[in-house]
Amino acid sequence: MSATQALLTSPRATELAALAKELDENKVTPGVLGFLVFAVMGLAVWFLMKSLSRRMAKVDFEEEPEADK
């Protein structure tokens, strides 16, 4: 028996269903934690792009002409 089947057949399944019906989906928000995670990911991308642009500026690549065969 899987965990889902055990949960659905348990005596508390009706209580969980009642709680789920009370939850208003329009009021659910990610909250402060969601904002902080998103902000940290944004800062990480910003620092990575800044580092990448610095490293790309240091690249001095000159293509050598092909030798005749």
Side-chain angles (χ1 to χ4, degrees), residues 12-32:
R12 300 192 116 196
T14 55
E15 294 174 22
L16 291 173
L19 287 174
K21 287 180 183 177
E22 291 177 12
L23 181 66
D24 185 11
E25 292 182 9
N26 295 327
K27 292 183 180 179
V28 176
T29 62
V32 176

Side-chain angles (χ1 to χ4, degrees), residues 1-66:
M1 181 181 294
S2 71
T4 305
Q5 289 174 340
L7 180 64
L8 291 175
T9 58
S10 72
R12 300 192 116 196
T14 55
E15 294 174 22
L16 291 173
L19 287 174
K21 287 180 183 177
E22 291 177 12
L23 181 66
D24 185 11
E25 292 182 9
N26 295 327
K27 292 183 180 179
V28 176
T29 62
V32 176
L33 181 62
F35 172 75
L36 290 176
V37 169
F38 189 76
V40 167
M41 287 181 1
L43 284 172
V45 168
W46 183 75
F47 280 115
L48 285 171
M49 292 301 293
K50 189 173 179 180
S51 173
L52 176 68
S53 65
R54 238 186 282 132
R55 290 177 189 272
M56 290 300 287
K58 291 180 182 179
V59 173
D60 186 24
F61 177 75
E62 292 182 20
E63 188 172 344
E64 296 178 7
E66 289 187 22

